[in-house]
């Protein structure tokens, strides 16, 4: 009995022992010279980083001997630097509207080579352009994907990328692009206009489930398609008896969209059987109206609403392509024509976003929703390996149409902990990182021996404290103004951001077209705040009661917590008591969406450099809640101005529209306008060719970056 | 200078204040208790107390727990600043961190000052005040979660053990299911899915997930007691089931419950700290020890004491409860002596 | 024995099924919506303002700050999140209740058009745990990836814990009531009380920040110091090398993870050793004139190990829980770290996957412990 138990016990022990030893030993074939060289590089690198590693140095020597031996045996290493000037092709013709063409990468053999490692904070959620919706993914995606146009690095104007030139029709609805014919995908295929049509349609296709459908929403024919789809969804809920999923605002939203579906429009976009569809839409509209009424009375009423199977059937076969076939057209291999349903001024700018990049049809179709794991694009670097939660590895794409980038390998290392990331940087295990913890910033600046350089740039961002203007007591603009006057913005900027940024007078950040220098915001003025409160009927501010201030704090070391505490102190000075409430982002955003919070912190960073991206999304009444208008601000005059700004083609004519809207908004003060942040890019001194733009360090193009080997520490 | 919100002011008109003081007095009395002579009468509890007094480890645990309770009840009087007051001057006074980004650092002498005994954290908040106020949270979680666990566990354990049969099978199956989840993961999932609730709800959730161990102990005890003569006698006298359960069985399960609870309290404090450390427990600005450790993690290199001090506080509290639990087990049930 | 095994196995399967269902309900907290609605109607809240339970929608979280109700709805539809959770009664709304076609339609609907049965059947028949909502990755693949790390970590942790536990336990039992005993037991109880993350952070502080023995956190191959071991040349096939990679990224986490089970083992080992040492056969062994070392190690310790196996089984749960904290502290992409991330992102298919996986492992380990116990001690089978 004891014997068998002993056997069980010892076999477990032996098993565990083998497992742990098995993790350590690796057997590999080493006759391959390339592999040896790679490992030599690795070993040297380690010798750099770990000072006391004699063993490693021994290893380096051994590997070197082995390489020498093998080279003598005839396996000549490929000579580097001999690749000829397949790079400097003739400059493309200056396009119709672009400010300057994308410059080919200059011929500098001495800049070639090296591995560039960046530290990133999270594993990128997705490397599929249709699903990139966060900065980390965007940063990796930037190396692999390119679209028709891109931002130039000087003033964020547009310059051609894969498009050679483009023309816009006078009414601003038809865009005709001429494409380059020498652009290749990483899989070797040439890029054609059809690929662009596919990539854009892919964003709209419901099956893709893209988060960034809104980029292409204005394409002719998409709106009626979306409206019918939305109606079908709600009708299905009722038909299947899932009444709890039917929500008043969704029904209402669908209803409004459905009302816009007209037969003429369906005819214009070339949908099959426009008459039948229009009839179905009318029927669905009537049904939706009944549903809305029923929801108003109570969800139980929905059981009494009959949804005919015929109606659902007539909506069953909605195919995206039927609707947008006239919106996205490729007349020949190098021409692309995009038609919008109505003018949409920021459209060209939006095309420079990562989500509008081109992807090869056959690869995207082959991988489906796994395309993210096997990304293929046209960018300067091609995908090699994604070791999830550890690193993403890319390598230089030799056939890149602007010439091979300098850096051989690009590696994004996932280092979730801020401090660990900084530590790795200091040791020399990464070449650059983006975010510096606020506490460390000053220390780095003060330390002359710090092995790195900080580049800073004011980015297109606005940090704010939002009021829910529909909630008491913040429905009174006087109180909102008073809070604006009571906030010591400079303290916030100095204490929390260590002065990195500029104070905000209004919504738009400096550097954005439409930024109004003359705009007078609110400065700290305690007396004025008290006066305003008196005017609002609160001579004794403590009568406002205890006000909840909400913020989100995901990590324990969150600057938002500091902000909250400063705000609490400021409001205490004018006699208003606040209670701080914090939660995680997921709960927070839900509460904000639903308009549950009266006073909350938020920030907005530009997706694309256009005033529309700030004002329309943050203050248009159609964007209330999820859309981005968390203040639930609504002003018909502002709405009209913003709508007009969207539909005006002439960029100069748009500026006064946005400035006027901003002025009204600042007067009504749905926010406490805090500051525009500066962002830092921390890199080693041997990293050259970095151009920082107002789109932030995440938008740094890696194709021109090179490593100055003479400045690298060698041992 | 306006000191509201900076210095702690004690509101003597609130009954809660007097409750705190009463608890403190009780704790002092409890500290003196081991000095009193024990009466010569022999009874289960007196014998246990005598055995407990002889056990040095247990007494160490006993005093740690009492001191903790005393600190918690006197938190308002022994700390000067409110736990959320930020002293920016202290932050600036802290000499610039010489080694940025960590890495090249070595032991750094903590900048304790007369104003802030244990220094300030990265937000300028007084660590001493936060530690003292954190003890309240830790004791609350210990008491509330174990209270919930005992109420549920006792009821289910008594019923399952007494009635047996399919009720027993059903209840123990249920217990098995809860035990099949890793404890922390289950609590985290509940917390995440319901949205991170108030700290009090987290105490309750820890209790709601933690009852199976109590139920098992009680069931085992009832199973053995049920065969005893005094239960037979009570039944023969015509006592109802409820009466037997409450009057005869419950008092006899007290000893294992006390042991279980004192060990469970240690577990609950650890769980709450762990949850807060992972961001699924107390939220800023609650002065929870686990949260303080997490918060200090970022500054570990030069300012190591920011996370080590609250970590040690957690360890001491758990240590105290563990020692006391071990001692109680030895004292209450000499057969189980290890 | 066979009977007992089958009974236990069936019970374990039942428990796993129940765990699955509970996890599903937790992950789809919407199942409580009708209940909440009822409560809110009692409280007199107008129906328009009824809260939809559950934390934020993971699809909403994917959208960033600029969401759109319709797009969210459409993505939910595509991902199948709009299907009914348990019951799809569509077939009965149009078909007659006596027609077999209706019933057939009903069962097909359950299999493919309800979230619970679809997920359950896919998991059971295809080992397909679905895809994550945030990244559309295969959940089973993610779990496999994480499990590899966690198993390494746990294995190393157990080995260290056993080494620590056995040495401390035997020492304190042999020198019972001396200062060695007190010293060992003091550290054992400290080890039980110390939170894993405190141990981990202090290790990071000492070994990484101060002593700089280990280059950094995380697990990346390029950071691993190599050790070459001299394997005789005739043992290596020409053109191959064998190298010994010391996984430094595992050393500290495994130590931190091993402290608690190690301390528990030490206490258990001491107790059983004390019992065993007083047994007759140990006295006989001594009487035979064997030296003390042989007596303790060969005769006493070996027999004291049996109850220790149980503790090991029980500590497995502790290890898995500890792994969450350890992996978070050391940034190791294991199961624990993954489930922590999944909970933060509310990626419920991943949450379900990890919780289920960990629970299955735990239930299976318990089953094995029970069975091996029953194998060793026949009395248990009949109780």
């Amino acid at each position: 009995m004891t014997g068998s138990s002993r056997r069980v016990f010892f076999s477990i022990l032996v098993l565990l022992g083998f497992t742990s030893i098995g993790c350590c030993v690796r057997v590999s074939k080493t006759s391959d010279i390339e592999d040896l060289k790679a490992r030599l590089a690795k070993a040297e690198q380690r010798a750099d980083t770990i000072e006391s590693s004699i063993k490693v140095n021994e290893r380096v020597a051994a590997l070197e001997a082995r390489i020498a031996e093998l080279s003598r045996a005839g396996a000549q290493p490929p000579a580097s630097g001999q690749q000829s000037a397949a790079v400097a092709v003739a400059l493309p013709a200056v396009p119709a509207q672009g400010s300057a063409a994308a410059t080919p990468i200059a011929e500098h053999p001495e800049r070639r080579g090296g591995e560039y490692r960046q530290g990133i904070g999270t594993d990128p959620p997705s490397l599929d352009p249709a699903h990139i919706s966060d900065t980390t993914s965007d940063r990796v995606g930037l190396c692999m994907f390119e679209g028709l146009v891109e931002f130039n690095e000087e003033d964020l104007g547009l310059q051609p990328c894969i498009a050679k030139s483009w023309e816009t029709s006078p009414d601003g609805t038809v865009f005709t692009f001429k494409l380059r014919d020498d652009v290749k995908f990483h899989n070797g295929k040439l890029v054609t206009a059809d690929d662009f049509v596919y990539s854009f349609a892919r964003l709209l296709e419901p099956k893709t489930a893209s988060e960034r459908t809104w980029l292409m929403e204005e394409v002719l024919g998409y709106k009626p398609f979306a409206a019918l789809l939305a109606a079908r969804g709600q009708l299905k809920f009722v038909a299947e008896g899932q009444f709890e999923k039917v929500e008043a605002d969704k029904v209402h939203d669908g209803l409004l969209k459905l009302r816009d579906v007209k037969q003429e429009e369906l005819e214009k976009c070339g949908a099959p059987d426009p008459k039948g569809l229009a009839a179905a839409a009318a029927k669905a509209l009537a049904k939706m109206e009944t549903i809305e009424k029923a929801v108003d009375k109570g969800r139980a009423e929905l059981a009494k609403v009959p949804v005919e199977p015929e109606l659902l059937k007539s909506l069953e076969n909605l195919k995206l392509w039927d609707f947008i076939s006239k919106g996205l057209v490729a007349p020949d291999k190098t021409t692309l024509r995009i038609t919008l349903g109505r003018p949409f001024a920021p459209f060209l700018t939006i095309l420079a976003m990562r989500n509008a990049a081109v992807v090869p049809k056959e690869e995207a179709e082959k991988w489906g929703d796994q395309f993210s794991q096997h990304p293929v694009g046209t960018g300067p670097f091609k995908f090699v390996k994604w070791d999830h939660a550890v690193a993403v590895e890319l390598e230089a794409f030799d056939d890149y149409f602007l010439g091979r980038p300098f850096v051989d390998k690009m590696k994004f290392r996932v280092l979730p902990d801020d401090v660990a990331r900084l530590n790795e940087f200091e040791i020399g295990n990464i070449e650059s990182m983006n975010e510096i913890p606020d506490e460390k910033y000053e220390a780095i600046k003060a330390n002359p021996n710090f092995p790195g350089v900080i580049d800073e740039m004011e980015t297109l961002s606005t940090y704010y404290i939002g009021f829910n203007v529909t909630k008491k007591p913040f429905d009174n603009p006087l109180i909102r103004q008073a809070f604006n006057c009571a906030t010591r913005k400079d303290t916030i900027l100095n204490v929390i951001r260590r002065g990195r940024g500029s104070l905000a007078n209004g919504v738009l950040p400096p550097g954005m077209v439409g930024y109004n220098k003359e705009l007078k915001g609110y400065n700290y003025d305690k007396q004025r705040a008290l006066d305003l409160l008196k005017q609002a009927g609160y001579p004794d501010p403590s009568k406002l009661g205890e006000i909840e201030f909400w913020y989100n704090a995901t990590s324990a070391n969150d600057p938002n917590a500091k902000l909250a505490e400063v705000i609490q102190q400021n409001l205490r000075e004018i006699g208003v008591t606040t209670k701080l409430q914090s939660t995680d982002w997921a709960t927070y955003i839900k509460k904000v969406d639903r308009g549950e919070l009266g006073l909350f912190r938020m920030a907005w960073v530009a997706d694309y450099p256009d005033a529309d991206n700030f004002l329309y999304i943050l203050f248009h009444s159609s964007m209330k809640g999820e859309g981005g208008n968390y203040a639930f601000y609504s002003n018909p005059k502002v709405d009209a101005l913003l709508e007009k700004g969207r539909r005006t083609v002439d960029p100069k004519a748009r500026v006064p529209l946005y400035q006027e809207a901003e002025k009204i908004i600042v007067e009504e003060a749905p926010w406490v306008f805090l500051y525009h942040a500066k962002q830092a890019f921390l890199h080693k001194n041997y990293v050259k060719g970095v151009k920082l733009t107002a789109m932030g360090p995440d938008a740094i193009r890696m194709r021109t970056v090179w490593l100055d080997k003479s400045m690298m520490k060698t041992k | 200078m306006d000191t509201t919100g900076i210095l702690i002011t004690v509101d003597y008109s609130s009954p809660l204040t007097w409750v705190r003081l009463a608890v403190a007095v009780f704790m002092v009395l409890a500290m003196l208790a081991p000095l009193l002579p024990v009466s010569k009468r022999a009874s289960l509890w007196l014998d246990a107390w005598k055995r407990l007094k002889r056990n040095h480890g247990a007494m160490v645990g006993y005093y740690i727990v009492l001191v903790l309770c005393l600190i918690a009840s006197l938190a308002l009087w022994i700390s000067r600043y409110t736990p959320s007051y930020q002293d920016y001057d202290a932050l600036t006074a802290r000499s610039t961190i010489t080694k940025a980004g960590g890495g090249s650092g070595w032991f750094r002498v903590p900048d304790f000052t007369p104003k802030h005994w244990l220094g300030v954290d990265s937000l300028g908040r007084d660590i001493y005040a936060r530690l003292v106020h954190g003890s309240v949270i830790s004791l609350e979680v210990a008491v509330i979660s174990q209270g919930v666990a005992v109420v549920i566990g006792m009821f289910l354990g008594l019923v399952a053990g007494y009635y047996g049969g399919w009720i027993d099978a059903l209840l123990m199956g249920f217990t098995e299911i809860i035990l099949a989840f890793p404890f922390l993961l289950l609590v985290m999932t509940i917390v995440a899915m319901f949205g991170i609730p108030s700290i009090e709800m987290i105490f309750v959730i820890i209790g709601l997930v933690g009852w199976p161990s109590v139920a098992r102990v009680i069931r085992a005890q009832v199973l053995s007691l049920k065969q005893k003569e005094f239960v037979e006698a009570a039944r023969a006298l015509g006592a109802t089931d409820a009466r037997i359960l409450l009057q005869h069985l419950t008092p006899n399960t007290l000893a294992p419950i006390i042991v279980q609870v004192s060990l469970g309290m240690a577990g609950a404090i650890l769980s709450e700290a762990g949850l807060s450390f992972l961001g699924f427990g107390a939220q800023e600005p609650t002065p929870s020890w686990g949260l303080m450790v997490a918060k200090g993690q970022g500054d570990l290199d030069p300012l190591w004491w920011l996370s080590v001090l609250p970590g040690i506080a957690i360890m001491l509290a758990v240590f105290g409860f563990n020692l006391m639990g071990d001692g109680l087990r030895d004292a209450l049930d000499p057969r189980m002596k290890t | 024995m066979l009977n007992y095994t089958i009974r236990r196995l069936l019970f374990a399967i039942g428990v796993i099924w129940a765990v699955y269902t509970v996890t599903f309900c937790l992950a789809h907290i919407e199942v409580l919506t009708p209940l909440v609605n009822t409560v809110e109607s009692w409280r007199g809240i107008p129906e328009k303002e009824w809260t939809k339970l559950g934390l934020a929608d993971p699809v909403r979280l994917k959208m960033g700050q600029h969401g759109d109700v319709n797009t969210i709805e459409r993505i939910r539809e595509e991902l199948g999140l709009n299907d009914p959770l348990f019951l799809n009664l569509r077939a009965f709304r149009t078909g007659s209740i006596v027609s077999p076609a209706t019933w057939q339609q009903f069962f097909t609907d359950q299999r493919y058009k309800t979230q619970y049965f679809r997920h359950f059947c896919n998991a059971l028949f295809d080992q397909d745990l679905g895809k994550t909502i945030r990244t559309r990755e295969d959940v089973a693949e993610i779990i496999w990836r994480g499990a590899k790390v966690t198993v390494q970590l746990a294995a190393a942790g157990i080995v260290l814990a056993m080494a620590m536990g056995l040495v401390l336990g035997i020492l304190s039992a042999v020198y019972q009531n001396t200062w060695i005993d007190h010293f060992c037991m003091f550290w054992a109880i400290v080890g039980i009380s110390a939170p894993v993350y405190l141990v981990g952070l202090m290790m990071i502080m000492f070994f990484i920040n101060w002593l700089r023995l280990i280059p950094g956190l995380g697990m990346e191959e390029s950071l691993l110091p190599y050790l070459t071991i001299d394997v005789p040349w005739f043992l290596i096939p020409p053109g191959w090398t064998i190298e010994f990679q010391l996984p430094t990224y595992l050393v500290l986490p495994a130590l931190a993870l091993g402290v608690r089970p190690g301390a528990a083992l030490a206490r258990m080992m001491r107790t059983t050793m004390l019992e065993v040492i007083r047994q007759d056969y140990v006295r006989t062994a001594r009487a035979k004139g064997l030296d003390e070392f042989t007596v303790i190690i060969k005769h006493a310790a070996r027999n004291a190990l049996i109850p220790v196996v149980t503790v090991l089984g029980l500590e497995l749960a502790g290890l898995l829980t500890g792994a969450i904290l350890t992996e978070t502290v050391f940034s190791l992409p294991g199961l624990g770290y993954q489930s922590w991330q999944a909970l933060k992102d509310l990626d419920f298919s991943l949450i379900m996957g990890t919780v289920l996986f960990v629970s299955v492992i735990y239930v299976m380990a318990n089953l094995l412990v029970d069975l091996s116990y029953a194998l060793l001690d026949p009395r248990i089978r009949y109780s």
Side-chain angles (χ1 to χ4, degrees), chain C residues 320-342:
Chain C
L320 291 170
T321 306
I324 303 176
L325 291 161
T326 318
E327 286 168 7
T328 318
V329 170
F330 288 94
S331 307
L332 289 180
L335 266 183
Y337 184 73
Q338 276 170 358
S339 48
W340 180 61
Q341 277 292 340

Side-chain angles (χ1 to χ4, degrees), chain A residues 419 426 556-557 562 565-566 582, chain B residues 84 86 100 102 123 284 295 298:
Chain A
V419 180
E426 222 182 329
N557 247 324
K562 295 183 215 174
E565 311 228 354
V566 175
S582 79
Chain B
S84 63
Q86 296 174 278
L123 278 181
E284 288 289 343
K295 188 143 189 137

Side-chain angles (χ1 to χ4, degrees), chain A residues 308-346:
Chain A
E308 297 82 14
E310 297 82 56
L311 178 57
L312 275 179
K313 209 167 223 171
S314 66
L315 296 175
E316 202 56 58
N317 278 322
L318 296 174
K319 289 212 182 67
L320 172 74
W321 191 244
D322 292 342
F323 288 81
I324 59 162
S325 60
K326 288 200 177 160
L328 299 172
V329 187
D332 61 60
K333 279 198 166 181
T334 55
T335 317
L336 173 70
R337 196 167 64 233
I338 305 176
T339 314
L340 304 184
R342 49 188 173 163
F344 181 48

